[in-house]
Amino acid sequence: MKKVIYLDNAATTKTAPEVVDAMLPYFTELYGNASTIYELGGSSKKAMNEVRETIADILGAQENEIYFTAGGSESDNWALKATAEAYRAKGNHIITSKIEHHAILHTCEYLEKNGFEITYVDVDENGKIKLSELKKAIRPTTILISVMFANNEIGTIQPIKEIGEIAHENGILFHTDAVQAFGQLPINVDEYHIDMLSASGHKLNGPKGIGFLYIRKGVKIRSFIHGGAQERKRRAGTENIPGIVGLGVAARRAAETMKERTAKEIALRDHLIDRVMKEIPYTRLNGDRIDRLPNNANFSFQFIEGESMLIMLDMEGICGSSGSACTSGSLDPSHVLLAIGLPHEIAHGSLRLTLSEETTLEDIDFVVDTIKNIVERLRSMSPLYEDFVKKQAVK
Amino acid sequence: MYSEKVMDHFQHPRNMGEIENASGVGTVGNAKCGDIMRMYLDIDENGIIQDVKFKTFGCGAAVATSSMATELVKGKNIQEALQVTNKAVMEALDGLPPVKVHCSLLAEEAIHAALWDYAEKHGIKIEGLQKPKSDIHEGEEEEEEAY
């Protein structure tokens, strides 16, 4: 098999070997149900509670504020729907941003059909939420502000502390989708006034199908899955112990290596951005140049289309992603790229590359060289580029 | 997701490029939706398509359908070229995923647009050819601006 350069770590990550090693005994030997009284079940419960402590420690939270879920989308759905239900007597208004993940946006659309009013606050050209608009959107009936910690497509990190303060000062709950940020950025729920936080295991070298929702003590939030008494009666279902154990190892590992790992990723990411911007004309960097996830680069190459680029990259063993319509299954390109003001045709030519701790300088140089050739080839095939060149010649 | 033939035509597009002083040029599609196809036809005095070239902005299927369409019309007369439907293009490519069927429609339209341009330039009427509706050659050009 040819060498694969995996630069789609915002989609999912490779499960770390020590994560898999830690999980295996919970399939084969320590398979007990954590709700039972015998020792076999007790070992499952003990392992689970240790993970709760680990995650609480990382966030500066209490262990009884961590609720395991099946992943980021479930956590987002739970946070929004259950808050809406529990606080309906207080109001029916929720504020979010235009660049949230679909797990938030589609849940908001569902709530709108059920009598809730949602304000989708604009972002600036770098993808940062407009705080003045956020403040203006607040009403007496506002019960929740939900803004993602960092964007999955363009990597922009939001001013979470400021948003948390605004929510706190106005007595409004604050939820953040931290699926991309948890494990990549230091997060303290008290410092940022976060009342709820969603995270997922498979974005930080943990297993798929496991995540958690942090819910601050005192927040009234209803059960999402009804049934047994698991997760303090708020999320029924026999716990996914292997997944939880894997999440714990992955979270601890991510927290312990964060400083060193992200410093290395930032250096490589900046090398990637610098070379692409310098060597490929008519290219735009999407997302904030400074406040961006350590491993994220997102470009728009004018006059070409993203899916073609991805197929050609794949032929060279490079895995990336695009916000073009063809990759979204609809006719519209990414809502995030449109929200930062890109015209459709430029949004179609976007490429997201997300690095991992395994990415090397050689990988990046090979990737840039390959992108250069692909962009040149696709432009030579593009009627948009032909028109542009002819127009330049007339000038 | 794509057939081997689609991948082959994407990786090795046939007749990609431009024809200077072409007998007819047609551009269809819309940058907003992410596909634009341009066809160049070189038609001799007997109405035979001697040469054909294309340029496409779009996904893998858009490139492959353009490429296949050029192969299907090359050497044909105008009436034969008009019979090259999107179905014929799809069949020749061993099918397309459902979300990509519109690419084959675009390829058919691109040929028609180029033939329409040829007819207009030469003051003739081609039996059975309708004015293509999505020719975007005029107007939208102004929107393109480089950084």
Side-chain angles (χ1 to χ4, degrees):
Chain A
M1 210 174 96
K2 72 180 168 193
K3 187 185 168 177
V4 168
I5 299 180
Y6 184 75
L7 295 180
D8 203 15
N9 287 279
T12 194
T13 57
K14 174 169 153 183
T15 316
E18 58 264 49
V19 169
V20 178
D21 288 346
M23 289 170 73
L24 286 176
Y26 290 91
F27 288 105
T28 52
E29 291 149 40
L30 304 169
Y31 50 81
N33 186 318
S35 304
T36 56
I37 58 159
Y38 40 80
E39 209 183 316
L40 190 62
S43 58
S44 291
K45 190 164 193 173
K46 186 165 169 280
M48 176 171 72
N49 288 337
E50 279 171 14
V51 175
R52 236 186 272 283
E53 275 172 40
T54 301
I55 291 170
D57 270 354
I58 293 169
L59 292 173
Q62 305 297 317
E63 48 102 11
N64 59 8
E65 295 174 315
I66 307 298
Y67 297 84
F68 295 116
T69 66
S73 291
E74 184 191 320
S75 298
D76 284 346
N77 269 263
W78 186 10
L80 263 56
K81 289 181 190 164
T83 310
E85 199 186 330
Y87 288 84
R88 189 156 205 169
K90 190 195 164 201
N92 70 338
H93 182 234
I94 292 170
I95 302 172
T96 187
S97 84
K98 285 196 175 150
I99 62 164
E100 297 298 308
H101 190 273
H102 284 129
I104 294 289
L105 292 179
H106 289 164
T107 305
C108 283
E109 285 165 22
Y110 165 82
L111 289 172
E112 278 180 304
K113 285 186 194 136
N114 286 278
F116 285 86
E117 289 169 10
I118 317 282
T119 303
Y120 301 91
V121 177
D122 277 322
V123 294
D124 67 17
E125 71 276 13
N126 293 322
K128 281 213 187 164
I129 193 161
K130 293 181 176 164
L131 290 175
S132 57
E133 273 196 33
L134 174 73
K135 282 184 203 161
K136 266 189 254 163
I138 293 172
R139 307 176 191 168
T141 52
T142 307
I143 53 174
L144 178 71
I145 294 174
S146 178
V147 175
M148 68 202 322
F149 208 108
N151 184 267
N152 49 313
E153 290 185 39
I154 57 174
T156 300
I157 300 167
Q158 297 297 342
I160 288 298
K161 195 173 177 181
E162 286 81 351
I163 299 168
E165 276 165 7
I166 292 167
H168 188 67
E169 282 162 14
N170 288 280
I172 298 165
L173 293 176
F174 176 40
H175 166 256
T176 185
D177 172 348
V179 167
Q180 295 293 333
F182 182 71
Q184 286 216 66
L185 303 169
I187 302 175
N188 183 293
V189 288
D190 286 343
E191 191 187 331
Y192 295 149
H193 297 293
I194 295 166
D195 295 307
M196 283 173 278
L197 177 145
S198 305
S200 174
H202 74 105
K203 307 287 190 186
L204 46 138
N205 306 103
K208 293 169 181 63
I210 188 75
F212 68 87
L213 179 65
Y214 158 80
I215 308 173
R216 182 178 290 281
K217 211 176 163 193
V219 172
K220 282 191 286 176
I221 187 163
R222 303 268 172 93
S223 171
F224 190 57
I225 295 179
H226 302 275
Q230 293 91 352
E231 301 301 295
R232 301 162 60 81
K233 295 187 191 163
R234 280 169 165 178
R235 202 269 188 186
T238 299
E239 299 89 343
N240 172 6
I241 302 297
I244 291 169
V245 168
L247 169 66
V249 175
R252 187 164 1 98
R253 188 176 171 275
E256 281 168 0
T257 63
M258 188 185 291
K259 220 174 161 184
E260 201 183 325
R261 174 172 45 95
T262 55
K264 184 194 156 204
E265 284 175 1
I266 287 171
L268 287 176
R269 174 200 74 187
D270 289 349
H271 177 68
L272 168 66
I273 292 173
D274 290 347
R275 271 202 67 191
V276 166
M277 296 307 291
K278 208 178 288 169
E279 297 176 32
I280 306 179
Y282 316 119
T283 300
R284 187 196 135 106
L285 175 71
N286 298 317
D288 197 275
R289 183 65 187 84
I290 307 297
D291 290 327
R292 77 185 300 137
L293 287 169
N295 71 341
N296 172 293
N298 186 314
F299 306 101
S300 281
F301 300 103
Q302 217 176 335
F303 316 115
I304 65 175
E305 195 276 335
E307 192 207 82
S308 291
M309 218 178 343
L310 294 185
I311 300 173
M312 288 183 158
L313 284 168
D314 184 40
M315 288 188 241
E316 300 298 328
I318 300 164
C319 307
S321 78
S322 169
S324 89
C326 278
T327 58
S328 73
S330 76
L331 278 180
D332 283 322
S334 139
H335 65 286
V336 176
L337 299 177
L338 296 181
I340 61 172
L342 295 195
H344 276 68
E345 61 269 32
I346 292 171
H348 284 301
S350 78
L351 175 69
R352 178 187 73 180
L353 300 172
T354 42
L355 286 52
S356 78
E357 60 198 332
E358 291 184 1
T359 311
T360 65
L361 183 63
E362 291 71 44
D363 290 343
I364 295 295
D365 281 328
F366 174 72
V367 167
V368 177
D369 293 341
T370 307
I371 293 173
K372 271 171 78 173
N373 290 334
I374 291 173
V375 170
E376 201 176 309
R377 174 158 170 76
L378 287 173
R379 281 183 180 159
S380 78
M381 294 169 66
S382 167
L384 293 175
Y385 189 61
E386 180 190 314
D387 291 343
F388 173 74
V389 171
K390 281 182 182 157
K391 218 154 65 174
Q392 292 297 100
V394 174
K395 280 177 195 169
Chain B
M1 120 184 206
Y2 288 133
S3 70
E4 270 177 40
K5 275 216 177 133
V6 172
M7 286 305 289
D8 177 44
H9 275 261
F10 174 72
Q11 290 178 53
H12 311 286
R14 307 346 178 223
N15 306 309
M16 198 271 289
E18 297 167 49
I19 298 176
E20 262 186 68
N21 304 316
S23 326
V25 184
T27 307
V28 297
N30 183 330
K32 237 185 134 177
C33 298
D35 318 280
I36 295 179
M37 285 183 199
R38 179 171 295 163
M39 289 276 175
Y40 298 84
L41 297 175
D42 182 19
I43 300 174
D44 70 13
E45 61 281 4
N46 301 317
I48 305 293
I49 297 170
Q50 288 297 344
D51 198 8
V52 49
K53 298 269 186 211
F54 81 91
K55 281 203 174 179
T56 290
F57 161 86
C59 62
V63 172
T65 52
S66 321
S67 166
M68 182 53 89
T70 61
E71 285 222 306
L72 293 177
V73 301
K74 198 168 177 176
K76 302 277 168 65
N77 67 38
I78 289 168
Q79 276 307 321
E80 286 167 335
L82 265 182
Q83 303 311 314
V84 174
T85 61
N86 80 301
K87 259 194 169 162
V89 173
M90 276 209 290
E91 274 165 23
L93 286 169
D94 293 338
L96 285 174
V99 292
K100 305 290 187 180
V101 171
H102 72 277
C103 294
S104 64
L105 281 165
L106 218 51
E108 179 188 318
E109 275 180 44
I111 298 167
H112 290 188
L115 287 172
W116 183 266
D117 182 53
Y118 165 77
E120 276 201 324
K121 277 182 188 161
H122 294 78
I124 57 170
K125 196 175 180 308
I126 298 173
E127 197 64 41
L129 179 64
Q130 306 281 320
K131 185 176 166 63
K133 50 183 180 297
S134 56
D135 194 308
I136 53 116
H137 199 69
E138 305 297 320
E140 286 204 20
E141 275 184 308
E142 295 310 307
E143 285 178 22
E144 294 154 31
E145 263 179 65
Y147 305 115

